[in-house]
Amino acid sequence: MTDGRRWQNEAHDKPVYYPPFAEDVKEEEGVAVLTTKNFNSFIDDNEFVLVEFYAPWCGHCKALAPEYAKAAQTLKDENSKIRLAKVDATVESELAEKYSVRGYPTIKFFRSAGTPSDYQAGRQASDIVNWLKKKTGPPAVELKTVDEAKTFAEKEEVVVIGFFKDQESEQAVAFKKVASTVDDIPFGITSEADVFKQYNVDKDGIVLLKKFDEGRNDFEGDYEDDAITKFVRANQLPLVVEFTQESAQKIFGGEVKNHILLFVKKDGGEDTIEQFRAAASNFKGKVLFIYLDASNEENGRILEFFGLKEEEVPAVRLIQLSEEMSKYKPPNADITTSSIKAFVQDFVDGKLKPHLMSEEIPADWDAKPVKVLVGKNFKEVAFAKDKNVFVEFYAPWCGHCKQLAPIWDELGEKFKDNDNVVIAKMDATANEIEEVRVQSFPTLKFFPANSDQVIDYNGERTLEGFTKFIESGGKDGAGVSEEEEEEDEEEEEEDDDQLKKDEL
């Protein structure tokens, strides 16, 4: 069509025509390329616009690009009025600043040129399309015929259909309310007797249809928001999920925050995966079962996070994702259905203690000005009553840690003859302690003499800044101001993004 993009307006019998992109707006694979010059006019001219602020060098942006383009093409094929656009935030710095772009990619949704909202869903094309349809249309699509219902069910991996004779009933209203809050799954609703019959539904109800495992789940319970949401979230993923970049959003964004992970080499590990799978049904909705292909180099960092070496695979670990994140290790290395069931049941019953990783104490841990701490000697050194101990918690792969290393060595050299001060470091990817929870790298903490206090350092990462902090007894540079925290988060965005993905 050369005369513009068109779709059938539901409120009218006649087609409604919309103009193509303006001449000053380039298009790449269906995605509008916006600049400071054309941004406002494009947003004003289109009712619904999703905008990705990206950096050309960003790995996450490169991974998103083909899915983003696929979503744009899908919407274009459907004659949708939703537009997808992108902005190179490294070039269009004014736009990036205006819309508070702190990391890449940042994705914003504009409705009728109003204040944008953050995109909050997965990064696959279907996730993007489903989210946008929820934001721009009815929360549940009305299914008026059997063919419509079949087409709706066939199109996605998971769909939810509400069967209600009266769509204004209390139960139907609760269903539609949940539909409006669950952005990553299509919801449909019907009152048609033929559709009821097609899906063997003889009374009002909710059915989740999926292309894996048992294929179907029927809701049983009270029609309350929380109960319906829990039903959907508990059944939307397979009993056992393979961890990939595509599944990560659903894994981390789900309601279930207890994850058991099987590290296995996928090629040749089918029997082990089946033993693992056979235990999963007992804990549906309580513990999410996930396996990772240990032969995939991209998962190497995750093995490291759990203190595992490739030669230890296959192996199992369990993690509880809460404010106080905890990891658990089975009592033995056996991976059988019965051993997995027993391990997870003990976790559910609260019988397990968290597993804290520790390297062995190096023979020369105190030979250099910067002392080397591990889990097994941390308490003895950090909480020594007669010492002021300043510790860097680092990750070997962290770029900011590498930049800090020579300065930290200078600090150790400066205080090496001071009997009251200890400068130390600990690899927090291989060692864990109860007293300190490391959420980003590097983390700097001060343990003053004759005190159980732990003081965060947030001053300048310079020899002068560290020296003032130590000589002031942990006061000059302590604490976290809101402004400094925001700047620090922006500076460490890449390392923190990787850490969050590693923290299964």
Side-chain angles (χ1 to χ4, degrees), residues 82 163 166 236 261 322 360 399 441 451:
I82 304 168
F163 295 82
D166 177 7
Q236 74 173 106
L261 297 99
S322 59
E360 294 301 319
F441 299 124
S451 172

Side-chain angles (χ1 to χ4, degrees), residues 166 168-175 223:
D166 177 7
E168 300 306 318
S169 67
E170 185 178 341
Q171 292 85 351
V173 169
F175 172 79
Y223 283 80

